[in-house]
């Protein structure tokens, strides 16, 4: 009897792996490479110009305005019209039924945070094709979650991972590769291989930060990325723009960068994880226990799919509250920071 059970479970695991492989193949079919335009009568030289401008998929092309496409050197309005017509034949960017939308949602992967309580709060983990933002004071666990996700994203799908690589844009100099080692060991992974699957860049200005995002398209078109971390999203904007006189320009530039992040998330089915800072809220008043609010204003609030508020608990415990989400109730979870990354809190 036990032998039969073992055989049955082995068969089930083989079927599971097969289903996952089929799902991955189906997902690859969703991303249409830009060079497919050549078969629809578009000049190879013009396709190369699109690639030089950071556009590597037909999906990404359809997310661009014609004004931005005509801004690419060597592409006239007539050429852009022809390119867009060809792309429309390859990618459907019109209306779909609710049933099709539900089917499309099945390609969304949920990546474990390392804490079961936090995963349950998030409906299974950090979602791909969307932006998850965490905000809170320093030492509230935002960067610790980023480091844990660097490892958990590389786990196989059946272990609640993302089975993909990680891109990390660091604006505050908080990334610590040595921190990855004990987290990898906790998950039973080879630390050197995990580190090799993380591409890292230190950004020094908001322009540098935006250009790093543009350069990611080429890498994501070639390799299976599943997570993009920006830690923190607002820091350089607060430094490079000062005073109320520059606030409107700052918010406009921030909106452009967030638009780029949304497109990356949806174009490549990548989870985007942003950390954000808090600012004092003068309107909070004396009756509010914690008169702080996330930086970035309405521009950042509307761009983030899921907003999480982190605050300190006792000792190494941290509390996460769902601040805003389209499909999650307002609730809280307690987690703990350990040498092996984010984990469930001990009583």
């Amino acid at each position: 009897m036990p032998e039969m059970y073992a055989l049955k479970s082995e068969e089930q695991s083989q079927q599971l792996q097969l289903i996952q492989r089929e799902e991955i193949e189906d997902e690859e079919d969703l991303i249409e490479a830009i060079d497919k335009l050549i078969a629809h009568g578009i000049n190879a030289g013009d396709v190369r110009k699109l690639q030089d401008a950071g556009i590597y998929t037909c999906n990404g092309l359809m997310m661009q305005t014609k004004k931005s496409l005509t801004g690419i050197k060597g592409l006239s309005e007539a050429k852009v019209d022809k390119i867009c017509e060809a792309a429309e034949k390859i990618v459907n960017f019109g209306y779909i039924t609710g049933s099709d939308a539900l089917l499309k949602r099945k390609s969304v992967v949920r990546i474990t945070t390392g804490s079961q309580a936090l995963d349950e709060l998030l409906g299974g983990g950090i979602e791909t094709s969307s932006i998850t933002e965490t905000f809170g004071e320093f030492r509230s666990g935002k960067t610790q979650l980023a480091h844990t996700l660097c490892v958990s994203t590389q786990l196989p799908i059946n272990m609640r991972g993302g089975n993909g690589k990680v891109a990390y844009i660091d604006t505050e100099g908080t990334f610590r590769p040595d921190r990855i080692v004990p987290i990898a060991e906790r998950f039973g992974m080879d630390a050197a291989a995990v580190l090799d699957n993380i591409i890292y860049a230190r950004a020094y200005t908001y322009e540098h930060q935006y250009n790093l995002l543009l350069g990611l398209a080429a890498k994501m078109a070639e390799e299976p990325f599943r997570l993009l971390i920006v830690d923190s999203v607002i820091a350089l904007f607060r430094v490079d723009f000062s005073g109320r006189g520059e606030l409107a320009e700052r918010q406009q530039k921030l909106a452009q960068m967030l638009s780029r992040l949304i497109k990356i998330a949806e174009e490549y089915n990548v989870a985007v994880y942003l950390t954000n800072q808090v600012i004092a809220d003068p309107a909070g008043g004396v009756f509010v226990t914690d008169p702080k609010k996330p930086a970035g204003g309405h521009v950042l609030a509307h761009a983030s799919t899921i907003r999480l508020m982190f605050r300190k608990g006792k000792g190494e415990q941290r509390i996460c509250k769902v601040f805003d989400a389209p499909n999650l109730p307002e609730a809280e979870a307690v987690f703990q920071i350990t040498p092996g990354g984010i984990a469930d809190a001990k009583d």
Side-chain angles (χ1 to χ4, degrees), residues 36-56:
K36 286 192 177 180
L37 289 171
I38 296 167
H40 286 76
I42 303 301
N43 187 291
D46 291 338
V47 170
R48 212 160 26 249
K49 284 167 192 167
L50 291 169
Q51 289 172 328
D52 291 341
I55 301 164
Y56 285 83

Side-chain angles (χ1 to χ4, degrees), residues 59-289:
N59 311 61
L61 175 71
M62 296 302 288
M63 292 175 183
Q64 303 288 328
T65 62
K66 285 190 178 179
K67 185 183 174 184
S68 68
L69 292 171
T70 50
I72 298 168
K73 195 177 177 184
L75 294 184
S76 63
E77 278 188 39
K79 276 185 178 180
V80 166
D81 287 339
K82 194 181 173 188
I83 288 166
C84 289
E85 276 175 34
E88 280 170 17
K89 290 174 187 172
I90 300 167
V91 184
N92 173 29
F93 256 60
Y95 290 105
I96 59 170
T97 65
S99 301
D100 289 338
L102 183 64
L103 205 63
K104 205 174 174 185
R105 282 284 296 168
K106 287 187 177 173
S107 67
V108 169
V109 178
R110 286 177 178 82
I111 301 160
T112 180
T113 60
S115 159
Q116 196 173 338
L118 197 49
D119 284 350
E120 283 172 10
L121 181 75
L122 297 173
I126 301 287
E127 276 190 7
T128 59
S129 284
S130 61
I131 293 179
T132 303
E133 173 208 343
T134 59
F135 67 90
E137 287 185 287
F138 61 94
R139 289 196 70 250
S140 59
K142 306 183 299 290
T143 300
Q144 296 300 326
L145 178 55
H147 282 73
T148 307
L149 289 169
C150 279
V151 179
S152 64
T153 298
Q154 299 182 43
L155 287 167
I157 303 280
N158 62 352
M159 290 178 73
R160 297 187 302 136
N163 199 30
K165 295 190 171 192
V166 179
Y168 197 121
I169 296 174
D170 183 2
T171 69
E172 297 183 276
T174 49
F175 178 69
R176 295 289 178 270
D178 44 302
R179 185 81 186 83
I180 299 294
V181 177
I183 301 171
E185 286 169 358
R186 170 200 163 184
F187 284 101
M189 298 172 81
D190 176 33
V194 166
L195 284 164
D196 282 343
N197 284 329
I198 301 167
I199 61 166
Y200 167 83
R202 174 80 164 94
Y204 292 97
T205 68
Y206 82 93
E207 288 168 332
H208 185 199
Q209 187 176 339
Y210 186 77
N211 289 335
L212 286 168
L213 289 177
L214 290 176
L216 260 182
K219 296 181 186 300
M220 287 187 171
E222 288 172 10
E223 296 176 274
F225 278 82
R226 198 53 80 224
L227 176 70
L228 165 60
I229 294 167
V230 185
D231 182 19
S232 91
V233 68
I234 198 76
L236 297 175
F237 286 89
R238 293 178 83 177
V239 171
D240 296 341
F241 296 92
S242 57
R244 286 202 171 273
E246 293 186 352
L247 185 61
E249 190 189 353
R250 184 195 89 166
Q251 292 303 87
Q252 186 187 21
K253 297 293 184 188
L254 179 61
Q256 286 171 355
M257 197 200 64
L258 290 166
S259 171
R260 182 73 198 158
L261 285 168
I262 292 164
K263 286 170 184 173
I264 286 172
E266 294 187 15
E267 187 180 344
Y268 297 104
N269 193 20
V270 165
V272 175
Y273 174 73
L274 309 178
T275 70
N276 191 10
Q277 300 170 344
V278 288
I279 55 172
D281 185 6
V286 289
F287 300 107
V288 179
T289 52

Side-chain angles (χ1 to χ4, degrees), residues 286-318:
V286 289
F287 300 107
V288 179
T289 52
D290 192 19
K292 294 182 188 70
K293 61 180 185 179
H298 295 297
V299 167
L300 191 46
H302 291 302
S304 299
T305 320
I306 297 160
R307 303 191 95 188
L308 306 173
M309 182 170 73
F310 280 14
R311 65 180 193 271
K312 296 168 194 168
K314 55 181 182 182
E316 291 302 310
Q317 287 189 0
R318 302 291 183 266

